[in-house]
């Protein structure tokens, strides 16, 4: 159970988000490359707004796309009820990052305009103006969402690339 008093946590409620990461999702956290607890992260982020909150290990692959491409992908995902929600966050102006099941990034291989990171630390909201569009938790009850494989995101992303991509 998380230490949040209100569910669901929002990006603007830094303590609630940090405890959701640590307590509900059980994600190891780091700030500027140093492993931290949720409490330590809260203090460091409050002290230095430019600090970066990251996961501490390879919990997932990440696919980052341009903002317009990401929004089109989200619209297409909403129209595909058979696809589970894909956790993603945005910086609100230039990029959307989708979190994918680790080791599945090859499902997006060959797509132009998609940067894929296989494993490794990923910057998380509320760092650097990042905010969740689709959080990795259920917004009705404090439960984690399964992170889908890249193949489940691929059809919506391919269609968006055809519409908005460079090639």
């Amino acid at each position: 159970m998380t230490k949040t008093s209100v569910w669901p946590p929002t990006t603007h409620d830094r303590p609630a988000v940090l405890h959701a990461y640590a307590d509900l999702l059980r994600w190891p956290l780091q700030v500027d490359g140093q492993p931290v607890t949720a409490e330590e992260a809260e203090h460091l982020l409050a002290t230095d707004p430019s600090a970066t909150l990251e996961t501490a290990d390879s919990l997932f692959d990440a696919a980052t796309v341009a903002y317009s491409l990401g929004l089109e992908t989200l619209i297409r995902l909403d129209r595909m009820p058979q696809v589970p929600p894909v956790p993603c966050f945005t910086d609100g102006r230039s990029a959307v990052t989708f979190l994918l099941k680790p080791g599945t990034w090859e499902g997006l291989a060959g797509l132009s305009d998609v940067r894929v990171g296989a494993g490794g630390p990923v910057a998380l909201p509320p760092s650097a103006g990042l905010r969740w569009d689709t959080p990795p938790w259920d917004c009705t009850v404090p439960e984690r969402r399964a992170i889908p494989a890249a193949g489940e995101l691929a059809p919506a992303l391919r269609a968006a690339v055809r519409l908005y991509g460079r090639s």
Side-chain angles (χ1 to χ4, degrees), residues 3 10 37 58 81 112 122 131:
K3 295 180 183 177
T10 65
T37 65
S58 54
S112 62
V122 173
R131 67 170 182 77

Side-chain angles (χ1 to χ4, degrees), residues 100-154:
L100 306 166
K101 186 175 181 177
T104 66
W105 66 271
E106 293 93 355
L108 301 178
L111 280 176
S112 62
D113 302 317
V114 180
R115 292 187 322 267
V116 181
V122 173
L124 296 171
S127 301
L130 301 176
R131 67 170 182 77
W132 286 108
D133 180 277
T134 307
W137 50 74
D138 187 311
C139 288
T140 58
V141 293
E143 293 179 359
R144 69 173 57 211
R145 284 188 171 148
I147 296 178
E152 295 183 83
L153 174 66

Side-chain angles (χ1 to χ4, degrees), residues 6-149:
V6 176
W7 193 262
T10 65
T11 300
H12 302 295
D13 186 354
R14 185 180 301 144
V17 169
L18 292 171
H19 283 285
Y21 293 153
D23 302 334
L24 177 69
L25 302 174
R26 305 261 187 243
W27 289 357
L29 302 174
Q30 61 186 30
V31 173
D32 293 335
Q34 298 301 312
V36 295
T37 65
E39 291 81 9
E40 291 168 332
E42 185 178 346
H43 172 75
L44 291 169
L45 293 171
T47 305
D48 181 4
S50 67
T52 301
L53 175 70
E54 299 172 316
T55 59
D57 63 5
S58 54
L59 297 169
F60 33 73
D61 294 343
T64 302
V65 298
Y67 189 71
S68 59
L69 185 58
L71 291 182
E72 180 64 25
T73 302
L74 287 168
I75 290 168
R76 290 174 182 278
L77 285 170
D78 283 345
R79 295 177 184 159
M80 299 169 70
Q82 74 279 11
V83 176
V86 180
C88 67
F89 57 84
T90 178
D91 64 7
R93 61 188 175 284
S94 64
V96 173
T97 299
F98 296 92
L99 302 183
L100 306 166
K101 186 175 181 177
T104 66
W105 66 271
E106 293 93 355
L108 301 178
L111 280 176
S112 62
D113 302 317
V114 180
R115 292 187 322 267
V116 181
V122 173
L124 296 171
S127 301
L130 301 176
R131 67 170 182 77
W132 286 108
D133 180 277
T134 307
W137 50 74
D138 187 311
C139 288
T140 58
V141 293
E143 293 179 359
R144 69 173 57 211
R145 284 188 171 148
I147 296 178

